[in-house]
Amino acid sequence: MRNLSLIGLIMLFFTGCAVSRKIENDRIEIRLLDEYVLPANTKVGNTVVGGLSGIDHKNGTFYLVSDQPSNPRIYTAEIIIKKDKIDTVTIDQLIKVKKTGEFSNDYFDLEAIRYDPSREVFVVSSEGKIDSGKDPGIYTLSILGETNTAFKLPFYFKAAGKQRPRNNGVFEGLSPSYDKKGYWAAIELPLEMDGAKPKIFPTRSHIRITKFNENTGEAVNQFTYKLDGISKLPINYFAVNGLTELLEIAPDRFLVLERSYSAGYGSYGNTVKIFEVDASQATNTLDLDKLKGEKYTLAGKRLLFDFKNVKDKLTNGIIDNIEGLCLGPELSNGNKSLVLISDNNFNSFGAQLNQIILMEIDFKDPEISAGNDKNL
């Protein structure tokens, strides 16, 4: 009994060290409104709707991207919100992503999507397959899913070489820049020579968030962000925490989604948090070959929302593998909505949900709210 108590105290100590934070909602407040679970057997165009790793919303239409490399695809969807609740969800159309010409051998593990109605293009991010020498990428697609262009990646994001990304840990987050001149792309995990993967104890887990010019595809700016540690001591061997989405809401101000998973808890291994990030004082690290041994200023972060506080309002108390986030339509009180979506991994690792989350976001800071309708 004494040994069991000691183990419990050690688990509590390590968990507290890595992720102890309080919610700071004086500038931005986020509230859960509703949840909708799309049936796992939903089919559109002879495809199973699953692996939904990214979501965007423009002019009343939602765009969902599936991360199945063998059949990369986009869905259009209608999510009807009535009285600040999700009334119905309809998957309308399947758009198959076509890799042709110079992109025919690229590996499309698509993790994020943004739609630009002014140019009628999708911008998507891919993690590639680092262990097989397949580079990650950021691509523009036509509205028919044809691959048009690829952004130009700094060498340290390439699969070859000493400084390389971790497999399944590359471009996970994607946001149009507030100035409408480019896109911010965030990697999920630190590059191998930049820092360690997050652990249950504190680590120097720094990831790069890079801005690309939308016209030239060139990387033009970059800041560095510190991931939180693992939230739960894994019962089995595997555990991970990484960035899964971001959204620039004001110049150098972002919403960032982090998802931690610890094996051994069945459907209850995920911890999901939303942060406000201020990169206005962060160092531009674009020209640093590696981060270890270098001096630079990180972006600041504040916890806005922790899903563990609302798990009793979710289906069976499950916080699933939430990977996508976008601003949705205006709510009845004039505030913006946030819509999030989970990647159910096609239930290949156990029972998971196609979970769609509706939230309200209240921008109390006038620097954000003043330009909200115009820019977001």
Side-chain angles (χ1 to χ4, degrees):
M1 182 64 70
R2 182 184 303 170
N3 289 339
L4 288 174
S5 299
L6 179 59
I7 291 171
L9 287 172
I10 291 172
M11 290 176 65
L12 182 63
F13 171 77
F14 279 133
T15 302
C17 283
V19 294
S20 178
R21 288 187 179 277
K22 66 175 183 177
I23 290 176
E24 301 180 67
N25 57 8
D26 54 313
R27 296 198 295 254
I28 302 172
E29 187 171 3
I30 298 175
R31 293 177 284 273
L32 175 71
L33 296 179
D34 200 15
E35 175 213 36
Y36 185 102
V37 176
L38 194 69
N41 60 355
T42 301
K43 291 186 177 181
V44 175
N46 295 319
T47 67
V48 175
V49 178
L52 301 175
S53 56
I55 186 170
D56 200 19
H57 172 261
K58 293 292 187 301
N59 301 326
T61 299
F62 285 86
Y63 302 93
L64 318 174
V65 68
S66 176
D67 68 355
Q68 189 173 37
S70 61
N71 187 11
R73 58 194 183 271
I74 295 166
Y75 297 101
T76 65
E78 187 177 26
I79 301 176
I80 302 298
I81 298 171
K82 293 182 179 180
K83 297 182 179 179
D84 299 343
K85 299 289 184 181
I86 299 175
D87 182 72
T88 54
V89 175
T90 305
I91 309 297
D92 298 316
Q93 182 185 4
L94 166 68
I95 303 171
K96 291 192 175 184
V97 175
K98 304 166 187 69
K99 301 183 293 179
T100 56
E102 63 182 299
F103 309 110
S104 59
N105 291 321
D106 288 18
Y107 191 88
F108 277 19
D109 181 358
L110 303 182
E111 297 292 343
I113 184 170
R114 300 298 175 191
Y115 177 60
D116 181 353
S118 66
R119 297 189 297 156
E120 294 189 322
V121 298
F122 296 108
V123 182
V124 296
S125 67
S126 169
E127 289 195 302
K129 193 173 185 181
I130 305 303
D131 285 352
S132 297
K134 298 289 187 179
D135 288 336
I138 304 162
Y139 302 88
T140 63
L141 312 175
S142 74
I143 57 174
L144 300 177
E146 299 156 332
T147 308
N148 289 335
T149 63
F151 289 2
K152 300 170 185 175
L153 303 184
F155 77 94
Y156 39 70
F157 292 133
K158 301 292 186 72
K162 292 181 179 179
Q163 169 64 307
R164 68 176 197 152
R166 286 181 161 93
N167 193 63
N168 202 33
V170 202
F171 294 122
E172 188 84 20
L174 188 65
S175 170
S177 64
Y178 194 82
D179 62 12
K180 299 184 180 297
K181 295 181 180 179
Y183 288 85
W184 291 96
I187 58 176
E188 181 180 2
L189 296 172
L191 302 178
E192 288 190 353
M193 294 180 65
D194 281 352
K197 291 190 293 185
K199 306 292 184 184
I200 197 69
F201 50 85
T203 56
R204 191 177 182 274
S205 299
H206 297 176
I207 60 170
R208 301 180 189 238
I209 299 177
T210 309
K211 183 179 180 181
F212 293 85
N213 181 289
E214 72 173 11
N215 294 316
T216 67
E218 299 277 359
V220 294
N221 196 4
Q222 185 182 91
F223 67 90
T224 305
Y225 169 88
K226 187 180 187 299
L227 294 168
D228 271 17
I230 303 298
S231 295
K232 299 178 181 178
L233 186 69
I235 297 173
N236 295 334
Y237 174 73
F238 181 75
V240 67
N241 181 54
L243 183 151
T244 61
E245 193 55 281
L246 83 163
L247 191 66
E248 190 175 20
I249 54 175
D252 297 317
R253 302 269 293 277
F254 299 82
L255 297 179
V256 164
L257 187 67
E258 287 190 37
R259 183 262 296 115
S260 173
Y261 173 76
S262 297
Y265 295 89
S267 299
Y268 301 92
N270 292 301
T271 302
V272 181
K273 300 174 184 177
I274 303 174
F275 295 90
E276 177 195 4
V277 173
D278 183 354
S280 60
Q281 303 301 313
T283 304
N284 183 354
T285 54
L286 186 62
D287 294 330
L288 294 182
D289 292 352
K290 60 182 180 64
L291 299 180
K292 282 183 181 178
E294 301 288 347
K295 293 182 178 180
Y296 51 88
T297 301
L298 290 163
K301 63 188 291 190
R302 292 156 39 104
L303 178 62
L304 296 179
F305 193 87
D306 190 335
F307 273 85
K308 74 177 182 180
N309 297 326
V310 296
K311 63 182 181 180
D312 59 325
K313 299 178 181 179
L314 301 175
T315 298
N316 298 325
I318 295 172
I319 304 164
D320 219 301
N321 181 31
I322 300 174
E323 293 194 353
L325 173 152
C326 71
L327 284 166
E330 191 173 277
L331 297 168
S332 58
N333 63 1
N335 283 340
K336 283 285 187 179
S337 63
L338 276 179
V339 182
L340 298 88
I341 200 159
S342 68
D343 174 359
N344 72 344
N345 293 309
F346 295 97
N347 290 286
S348 56
F349 302 111
Q352 290 188 252
L353 306 174
N354 283 322
Q355 198 170 36
I356 299 171
I357 305 289
L358 176 66
M359 311 184 84
E360 175 185 356
I361 184 163
D362 184 2
F363 295 108
K364 300 178 180 180
D365 188 333
E367 290 185 8
I368 299 176
S369 59
N372 188 31
D373 291 333
K374 178 180 177 182
N375 288 280
L376 299 178

